[in-house]
Amino acid sequence: MTEYEAVFFDIGGVIVSLPSIRQGYVDFLREFATERDLDPEPALETWRERLGEHFKSAEGTEYMSAAEGYHKAFQAIVDADLDRDDWEPGFKAATKAAMETEPNVVETIQALDDAGVYLGIVSDIDTREAHRMLDQFGIDDAFDGVTTSEAVGYKKPDQRMFEDALGKADIDPATGLMIGDRYDHDMQGGTEAGLDTVAYNGTAFERAAEVGRDGHRVVGDDAIDYAIEDHRTVLEIVGVE
């Protein structure tokens, strides 16, 4: 059995619940639109479309700042220029109020940290947003290294993301685990980097379910090593009691 020295986490869908993030967006957008005498539902649709256009304008695995995309999207709603102060404070407050973690993930991260396991983040996110989310749940200090797409300039599965994370950790990739929810970004990207992978949620877990597993071990897919439904299973995989 591999002795794992490091565990790398994605954030959205793995540490933080994606539905809770989206609910925070919706809560604030409805308030933002109503205050401006706009119909909330069309405003929400306009916001989503403009944000989608922003991210789709990237070339290949190039990363586009989410904060910049949000700003463009709010300006599209009102069809006018806005200062960031017109939307950012309320947006952050609403997302903070709605945000929830995935079950048992905080306790798992704390147990890994207490056991001296190297903890890293590898996430397609803005850097300030990554730390804001982790700090909200009291786990920012548990992470030894944080790799974000904003800092690197590229999205997973671009190997520059994993090279940055592994460089900070200074470990043999074979002794590291990558926990993610996206098959192509996290599972395939992590495998290419030499990491063992753990499917949790999303297309990663769906793929693991399709090919089958023996306990936590996935059989029939070279890009996924483990599939879990409860983060506490990571402690068993790593050997932390």
Side-chain angles (χ1 to χ4, degrees):
M1 184 174 179
T2 302
E3 292 187 7
Y4 294 107
E5 299 179 31
V7 180
F8 300 93
F9 288 80
D10 186 19
I11 295 181
V14 175
I15 294 177
V16 180
S17 161
L18 285 177
S20 74
I21 295 173
R22 293 168 183 145
Q23 187 59 53
Y25 295 165
V26 171
D27 291 344
F28 179 68
L29 281 158
R30 285 177 174 155
E31 177 184 339
F32 179 86
T34 300
E35 288 177 350
R36 289 158 177 78
D37 296 322
L38 300 171
D39 189 333
E41 296 311 311
L44 181 57
E45 187 62 28
T46 296
W47 189 86
R48 286 172 173 159
E49 288 178 357
R50 185 65 187 89
L51 185 62
E53 290 171 1
H54 170 74
F55 285 119
K56 288 177 182 177
S57 67
E59 295 185 7
T61 58
E62 175 192 16
Y63 182 68
M64 304 293 287
S65 165
E68 184 60 32
Y70 298 151
H71 189 60
K72 292 176 181 177
F74 280 110
Q75 291 189 130
I77 289 176
V78 298
D79 193 24
D81 290 336
L82 291 174
D83 292 329
R84 287 188 183 273
D85 287 344
D86 293 329
W87 63 268
E88 195 168 45
F91 183 74
K92 287 184 174 181
T95 53
K96 181 178 181 178
M99 201 178 300
E100 299 176 354
T101 61
E102 287 293 317
N104 303 316
V105 70
V106 170
E107 297 89 336
T108 297
I109 289 169
Q110 291 171 337
L112 291 168
D113 185 37
D114 289 343
V117 177
Y118 181 96
L119 294 177
I121 291 291
V122 188
S123 183
D124 295 339
I125 194 172
D126 289 7
T127 303
R128 287 179 62 186
E129 186 69 0
H131 287 292
R132 182 174 80 94
M133 289 182 175
L134 298 174
D135 184 63
Q136 177 169 334
F137 300 108
I139 53 175
D140 194 26
D141 290 342
F143 286 92
D144 302 289
V146 175
T147 292
T148 68
S149 285
E150 181 184 39
V152 176
Y154 298 92
K155 301 176 293 184
K156 295 172 290 183
D158 194 296
Q159 287 301 294
R160 282 167 282 199
M161 286 288 288
F162 296 97
E163 289 166 4
D164 182 86
L166 287 166
K168 291 172 181 173
D170 192 24
I171 61 160
D172 179 347
T175 65
L177 285 175
M178 175 67 207
I179 306 174
D181 63 330
R182 290 178 295 177
Y183 181 74
D184 55 348
H185 286 213
D186 301 311
M187 301 298 99
Q188 292 183 326
T191 296
E192 185 178 346
L195 296 162
D196 279 2
T197 58
V198 181
Y200 177 85
N201 272 343
T203 57
F205 193 84
E206 289 170 5
R207 175 59 180 167
E210 288 174 4
V211 300
R213 54 182 171 156
D214 179 10
H216 310 308
R217 277 280 185 183
V218 173
V219 292
D221 192 302
D222 293 338
I224 312 176
D225 295 288
Y226 304 92
I228 62 171
E229 299 177 69
D230 187 320
H231 275 292
R232 291 173 294 187
T233 305
V234 175
L235 302 178
E236 178 183 335
I237 294 170
V238 175
V240 172
E241 296 183 0

